[in-house]
Amino acid sequence: MAEEAVLGFLEKNEEIPDSGHFADERGLSHDEIVNVIKSLNGFRLVDAQDIKKEKWVLSDEGATYAATGSPEFQLFLAIPEEGISREELQRKLDASVFKIGFQQGIKNKWIEMGKSQVVSRKVQKVDDKVKDLLLQIQGGKAINREDADALKRRKLIAPQTWKGYSVKKGPKYAPKRKKAVTDLTRDNLLRGDWKDLEFKEYNFLAKGLPPEGGHLHPLLKARMYLLRTSSFPLNAPCITNKVSVLKKCTKTSPDDFSSNGVWPVIIVIYIYVFEEMPTNNYVESSFWNFDALFQPQQHPARDSHDTFFLQEPSTTKLLPEDYVERVKQIHESGGYDSRGYGYVWKREEANKNLLRTHTTAVSSRMLYLLAQQPFAPKRYYSIDRVFRNEAVDRTHLAEFHQIEGLICDRGLSLGDLQGVLHDFFARLGMSKLRFKPAYNPYTEPSMEIFGYHEGFKKWVEIGNSGMFRPEMLRPMGLPEDVQVIAWGLSLERPTMILYGIDNIRDLFGHKVNLDLIKSNPICRLGLQ
Ligand code: PHE
């Protein structure tokens, strides 16, 4: 309707000088006309020029007086012929009407006050000019400058800029707009009408609709990135060389290989090199979580204050008996050049089910399985959830995620472990590392890993590592000259640093900020 009016008018006339008058004359809403003009102007069917006009609008107070009359007029009417005491008049009127009405009444010389505080009319009859002027403005009519200034001083009206358009035919003017077509159909081709169709231009800059659901949690993004990094061929010379050659010629990070088709090939090799461990069992027996790792049964970590034990089913029934026997032996009296711990090892303790406290429980299962076959070197990694009975605070949760990695081969040394860790962390953007001697029941030597955080300008603890003890490996059946270097890190720590989150509860658990989950950027550890 509005569009037809505009285009139709321009067919017979040179110009629409003022969109406001144009809308008024036709009883159309000006907003609607403006929308049509903008759209037609965008497609260059018309050529629109801005017009700005200052116009007056009523303030709230002005609108009230337009309806009820000005205070001075109300006050005048409230004065009887014989006059009235000021006090009584005040009682008859609203406080503001009295105050303003009195002032204006005196000023207009409509009223006067005698010595005994009696207010009386000074003239017989008055006109409410203020109300009339306000009604005129409300009706869109112009009033003279002097009157407008007086009303403005009383804050009954205020200026407002009115925006409209003057419109002429544009270079693509047509009396009727052809609807631009978005799709070319089979029928268009068969009928041949495609020749006359006007196609809508493709807008490559249009934003897609933001998806309603399916947002990836920052932890999952960091995990995805790390999975790629962990499955990278750490210290595997042939593959590393290939990567650096590609790096040189493409000048991109290894991540960008996916765009030139090389990446999938490399992934196949990586997976072959570092295998992901099956971490789907959150429930583990104490045996695999602790005993197989040469962790004595009196160790404080095995206390219910630190570990969640299961009530139902409270114990495991399936353990490899001959291996259990060898583990019992090594704990009680040693073997393979070890003295053992010299205590009475209890099977009931080993049978207790728990929520795994570290993913090293999975490493122990995997190494045991590996030992059941003729020896072949292996590299394993995993990233998954672990549970600890901890008091929750800004940096601790009762469930979190660990990144675990291990290499099992002949002739490995602490130097290999340090080299691998340097390689791994360099890929995450941390090239300065320090190692601090530490203690784990299952590794010797053991090292805590510290990384220099360039943002915080300090050393932060980023993980734990070591060489698995013979007391752990030999009862499994691994050959004497086979060593295992291993490391474990939290996933939360790098993720928090990366996303600038200082309270772990904002990242994970029931208090997370859902907006953060919906709008966090992609994870490019070390490549910021
Ligand atoms: N399991 C250790 C932890 O939870 C990490 C670790 C893994 C240490 C492997 C040494 C070797 O902290």
Side-chain angles (χ1 to χ4, degrees):
M1 182 58 175
E3 181 167 319
E4 282 161 23
V6 171
L7 291 175
F9 186 86
L10 288 177
E11 196 178 6
K12 295 186 203 93
N13 302 275
E14 184 71 10
E15 184 187 30
I16 298 173
D18 181 324
S19 58
H21 295 317
F22 185 80
D24 285 349
E25 283 159 12
R26 283 157 188 78
L28 297 167
S29 105
H30 187 234
D31 283 348
E32 201 186 332
I33 289 286
V34 164
N35 283 340
V36 164
I37 293 174
K38 280 187 187 161
S39 159
L40 292 171
N41 191 47
F43 288 99
R44 307 179 66 203
L45 272 93
V46 302
D47 188 5
Q49 298 296 327
D50 290 352
I51 344 178
K52 280 186 188 152
K53 277 191 271 183
E54 285 285 300
K55 76 173 212 191
W56 297 108
V57 285
L58 302 193
S59 66
D60 287 349
E61 192 184 353
T64 313
Y65 300 161
T68 61
S70 69
E72 53 271 34
F73 191 74
Q74 292 183 50
L75 183 124
F76 186 86
L77 293 184
I79 301 172
E81 211 131 331
E82 65 281 11
I84 185 170
S85 80
R86 187 192 147 108
E87 234 172 80
E88 207 177 318
L89 182 60
Q90 193 165 1
R91 241 178 287 130
K92 279 173 88 174
L93 297 165
D94 274 353
S96 71
V97 170
F98 175 79
K99 194 173 158 236
I100 302 168
F102 197 85
Q103 272 172 11
Q104 295 292 333
I106 297 277
K107 199 171 149 200
N108 293 356
K109 302 200 170 65
W110 288 0
I111 59 167
E112 62 188 351
M113 192 162 69
K115 282 205 186 88
S116 48
Q117 298 268 313
V118 171
V119 184
S120 51
R121 295 181 176 187
K122 224 178 153 180
V123 288
Q124 281 296 308
K125 195 176 156 284
V126 293
D127 290 327
D128 196 352
K129 194 177 166 202
V130 168
K131 178 179 172 171
D132 293 344
L133 288 171
L134 290 171
L135 285 174
Q136 280 181 41
I137 291 173
Q138 211 167 37
K141 295 203 188 82
I143 62 169
N144 73 46
R145 189 81 229 171
E146 227 169 279
D147 289 335
D149 284 345
L151 293 178
K152 193 183 158 204
R153 250 179 276 125
R154 285 180 72 175
K155 296 207 170 64
L156 302 182
I157 58 171
Q160 199 185 50
T161 317
W162 175 92
K163 286 191 194 127
Y165 293 100
S166 70
V167 189
K168 287 185 178 149
K169 281 182 189 138
K172 293 202 178 158
Y173 173 80
K176 230 176 153 110
R177 169 151 51 170
K178 260 196 201 169
K179 207 153 168 48
V181 185
T182 48
D183 293 312
L184 178 64
T185 63
R186 181 174 177 272
D187 287 342
N188 294 146
L189 294 170
L190 286 176
R191 285 196 301 260
D193 59 6
W194 58 271
K195 289 181 210 130
D196 305 321
L197 291 177
E198 202 169 298
F199 289 96
K200 195 168 180 178
E201 270 182 49
Y202 204 88
N203 180 2
F204 291 101
L205 300 175
K207 284 189 179 154
L209 285 178
E212 277 299 308
H215 300 276
L216 280 181
H217 191 281
L219 273 178
L220 282 177
K221 292 188 183 174
R223 181 174 182 270
M224 248 169 353
Y225 186 86
L226 283 158
L227 280 175
R228 288 204 233 155
T229 309
S230 310
S231 58
F232 217 78
L234 303 164
N235 278 7
C238 52
I239 311 295
T240 314
N241 287 347
K242 248 191 213 166
V243 170
S244 45
V245 168
L246 286 168
K247 224 177 185 175
K248 255 182 227 150
C249 62
T250 57
K251 287 206 182 110
T252 55
S253 78
D255 300 65
D256 295 329
F257 290 164
S258 46
S259 53
N260 62 20
V262 183
W263 183 239
V265 181
I266 296 181
I267 284 197
V268 172
I269 306 167
Y270 292 165
I271 289 171
Y272 172 70
V273 175
F274 261 81
E275 282 172 44
E276 187 174 358
M277 297 190 276
T279 44
N280 49 346
N281 53 323
Y282 292 169
V283 173
E284 190 50 278
S285 63
S286 293
F287 180 77
W288 291 110
N289 195 82
F290 293 128
D291 297 278
L293 289 159
F294 198 52
Q295 190 138 334
Q297 294 190 326
Q298 310 76 9
H299 193 282
R302 302 183 63 153
D303 200 281
S304 62
H305 293 299
D306 289 308
T307 298
F308 292 115
F309 287 96
L310 253 72
Q311 284 179 347
E312 190 62 46
S314 63
T315 54
T316 183
K317 292 187 179 63
L318 275 174
L319 290 177
E321 292 305 329
D322 51 339
Y323 173 53
V324 170
E325 193 50 41
R326 294 198 295 277
V327 169
K328 173 182 159 76
Q329 281 289 320
I330 196 94
H331 278 244
E332 289 189 339
S333 51
Y336 318 101
D337 296 332
S338 171
R339 280 189 284 143
Y341 291 119
Y343 72 96
V344 180
W345 186 87
K346 292 203 187 87
R347 174 66 183 259
E348 307 85 78
E349 213 40 62
N351 283 348
K352 283 183 187 168
N353 278 336
L354 44 74
L355 292 179
R356 68 171 176 233
T357 62
H358 54 181
T359 39
T360 318
V362 185
S363 301
S364 68
R365 274 181 183 272
M366 294 304 284
L367 286 169
Y368 169 75
L369 286 177
L370 191 64
Q372 306 318 300
Q373 292 149 21
F375 181 73
K378 278 280 179 194
R379 290 152 194 257
Y380 285 130
Y381 74 93
S382 67
I383 305 182
D384 212 338
R385 197 170 296 188
V386 301
F387 307 83
R388 290 185 194 172
N389 194 355
E390 297 218 54
V392 171
D393 62 24
R394 294 183 80 77
T395 50
H396 292 89
L397 285 178
E399 47 187 304
F400 60 100
H401 299 79
Q402 278 191 332
I403 307 163
E404 182 98 8
L406 67 89
I407 300 176
C408 174
D409 205 347
R410 291 196 161 87
L412 291 172
S413 69
L414 198 66
D416 290 307
L417 177 56
Q418 293 189 342
V420 166
L421 291 173
H422 269 295
D423 194 359
F424 179 80
F425 282 103
R427 291 173 206 282
L428 308 186
M430 280 205 187
S431 43
K432 286 187 210 155
L433 293 189
R434 271 183 188 167
F435 302 104
K436 182 176 152 190
Y439 173 78
N440 295 308
Y442 39 92
T443 50
E444 181 59 35
S446 312
M447 303 188 300
E448 269 170 12
I449 312 159
F450 288 78
Y452 188 74
H453 192 278
E454 299 289 349
F456 299 166
K457 298 268 173 263
K458 65 173 187 181
W459 293 93
V460 288
E461 195 195 325
I462 47 179
N464 188 357
S465 65
M467 299 188 70
F468 282 142
R469 276 179 169 273
E471 286 97 328
M472 168 183 164
L473 303 180
R474 299 290 302 283
M476 290 176 169
L478 284 169
E480 199 176 341
D481 56 349
V482 165
Q483 287 86 30
V484 179
I485 54 177
W487 55 95
L489 329 163
S490 109
L491 176 65
E492 278 74 3
R493 172 138 325 173
T495 309
M496 282 169 74
I497 293 174
L498 203 71
Y499 287 98
I501 299 168
D502 66 348
N503 187 339
I504 199 165
R505 285 168 288 195
D506 292 338
L507 177 68
F508 191 67
H510 64 287
K511 286 187 180 167
V512 293
N513 174 356
L514 282 178
D515 287 335
L516 168 95
I517 307 302
K518 286 184 184 169
S519 64
N520 58 77
I522 59 163
C523 177
R524 305 271 285 169
L525 279 163
L527 299 169
Q528 313 304 310

